[in-house]
Amino acid sequence: MRGMGCGSVSEAYVSPKSSPYFAFNIWSIESAKAVLDGSAKAGRDVILQTSMKAFLRLDKEELRRFVTSYMHKKQIRAYLHLDHCKDPDQIKEAISHGWDSVMIDASHKPLEENIAMTNLVCRMAEGTGILVEAEIGQIFKAGDDIHNAETGIARIEDIKTFVKNTRAHILAAAVGTSHGLYKGLPKIHYDLIEEIAAFTNIPLAIHGGTGLTDEMFLKLLSHENVKKINISTDVKMAFRQGIMESLQKGSMSEGGFDPMKVEEAIHDFLEEMAVNKLRLLRKDGNHEDNSCSEYGYEKYPEHYL
């Protein structure tokens, strides 16, 4: 069992008894604000993550500045994470703009190359306090062949080799979940999660949280090594719900178009979606709370303000 990382972000993610997080994909300041409002309403800290597509189009400095300022205002902790990045140059960009954690996804490469790429990124992040997430096995898209989730399941031997030979802080092991909308319910390999916990304390990130039942979330959260559950498609669907409701209420009609009502509807659906997920954390009693007061704002770099 090896210790993981240091600094304020590591304390939140990595402490063996710390509370797990939901990580919501955002693509704009507006979507970030709605999720942060939901986090404040639920009384839970949160991870905001950007896909590579969103990261490339965002004003990174402004997003970093907004998240830092708004989390202080709402008295919560929020962390920025770069999700599924295959390009070390873009990871370097995220580090320079103050993202709190980054994911290098070299899972499509042979194990040895995945290890080498992960260690390259770990060296880039060394001394910055920024955490590195890496993937083992392959987490496919839910709309792909139904057998893909099973064929991509991480092998315990590969996980042991990967953990032994890398300095990654967070492990996204393929355990049966997929990205996107499921056709039916996935078969989650809870036994693999337990096997991992038996030989390492590395925190696990579970991708593909959209479409899981509350019971599945709570079973995942009952495992103390599950520290991060990703939600992306649910965020997009909540955004769509806001648009659809605006259409039904006439807020988007040619004669009655009201952009403020449309934005309000979208915000409210995003906020409600976040609250509903985050409240599940209160039902899990296996972790200590890691609210903002536990770590103190003074540990957050002032130059990001």
Side-chain angles (χ1 to χ4, degrees):
M1 307 282 278
R2 61 189 177 99
M4 310 296 299
C6 60
S8 60
V9 177
S10 298
E11 287 172 352
Y13 275 156
V14 175
S15 171
K17 293 185 178 180
S18 68
S19 178
Y21 285 83
F22 276 106
F24 298 96
N25 276 59
I26 53 97
W27 54 86
S28 64
I29 285 176
E30 292 77 13
S31 58
K33 179 182 182 298
V35 172
L36 291 174
D37 286 340
S39 303
K41 184 178 281 189
R44 304 298 306 193
D45 297 337
V46 71
I47 300 167
L48 304 175
Q49 56 185 31
T50 54
S51 67
M52 272 308 304
K53 183 178 179 181
F55 183 76
L56 290 171
R57 68 179 289 274
L58 280 166
D59 186 321
K60 301 164 187 62
E61 184 176 336
E62 288 304 313
L63 179 65
R64 174 71 274 177
R65 194 187 314 274
F66 170 76
V67 171
T68 303
S69 173
Y70 202 64
M71 77 175 191
H72 279 272
K73 180 178 180 179
K74 306 300 284 190
Q75 298 187 336
I76 56 172
R77 295 294 302 230
Y79 301 93
L80 271 176
H81 174 75
L82 178 64
D83 198 32
H84 284 289
C85 183
K86 301 179 186 295
D87 183 354
D89 288 337
Q90 292 302 322
I91 286 178
K92 186 176 181 181
E93 186 83 359
I95 291 172
S96 70
H97 281 91
W99 261 234
D100 298 294
S101 56
V102 294
M103 179 185 182
I104 177 64
D105 183 358
S107 61
H108 57 291
K109 295 180 178 290
L111 181 60
E112 295 76 13
E113 293 181 38
N114 190 355
I115 289 171
M117 183 74 80
T118 299
N119 283 332
L120 171 65
V121 171
C122 288
R123 288 193 296 272
M124 290 167 56
E126 190 172 359
T128 65
I130 291 169
L131 302 186
V132 176
E133 178 181 333
E135 184 171 325
I136 186 75
Q138 283 196 273
I139 303 166
F140 292 103
K141 187 176 179 181
D144 294 340
D145 188 288
I146 194 170
H147 300 294
N148 275 356
E150 285 299 308
T151 59
I153 297 294
R155 301 188 324 132
I156 193 66
E157 297 83 2
D158 291 344
I159 296 172
K160 288 180 178 179
T161 300
F162 190 86
V163 170
K164 181 180 179 181
N165 291 285
T166 70
R167 296 180 62 80
H169 303 91
I170 307 166
L171 185 66
V175 296
T177 54
S178 302
H179 297 115
L181 293 171
Y182 293 110
K183 297 176 180 178
L185 291 175
K187 178 185 176 183
I188 299 177
H189 290 243
Y190 299 103
D191 56 334
L192 181 56
I193 296 173
E194 293 170 4
E195 284 187 76
I196 296 169
F199 72 87
T200 178
N201 62 352
I202 190 168
L204 297 186
I206 305 296
H207 289 235
T210 295
L212 302 184
T213 65
D214 286 0
E215 291 72 22
M216 295 171 87
F217 278 125
L218 291 173
K219 189 167 183 179
L220 284 168
L221 292 167
S222 71
H223 294 82
E224 291 196 7
N225 56 341
V226 172
K227 298 296 183 184
K228 177 173 177 277
I229 299 180
N230 290 7
I231 305 292
S232 176
T233 304
D234 267 338
V235 186
K236 299 170 189 173
M237 292 298 101
F239 187 95
R240 181 178 182 275
Q241 280 181 286
I243 295 174
M244 298 304 293
E245 181 174 273
S246 298
L247 281 167
Q248 293 168 6
K249 291 186 174 181
S251 300
M252 296 185 70
S253 65
E254 186 174 352
F257 179 61
D258 189 332
M260 288 186 289
K261 285 186 177 179
V262 175
E263 286 184 351
E264 182 180 10
I266 291 170
H267 171 278
D268 290 350
F269 274 103
L270 288 172
E271 181 185 70
E272 181 182 17
M273 174 277 308
V275 168
N276 289 338
K277 290 290 186 293
L278 291 164
R279 282 180 174 161
L280 290 171
L281 298 178
R282 293 188 178 278
K283 298 178 181 178
D284 170 49
N286 293 329
H287 305 269
E288 293 179 0
D289 187 24
N290 61 351
S291 63
C292 55
S293 59
E294 183 177 342
Y295 296 105
Y297 289 131
E298 69 279 0
K299 293 186 179 181
Y300 208 88
E302 290 298 322
H303 65 273
Y304 293 151
L305 291 170

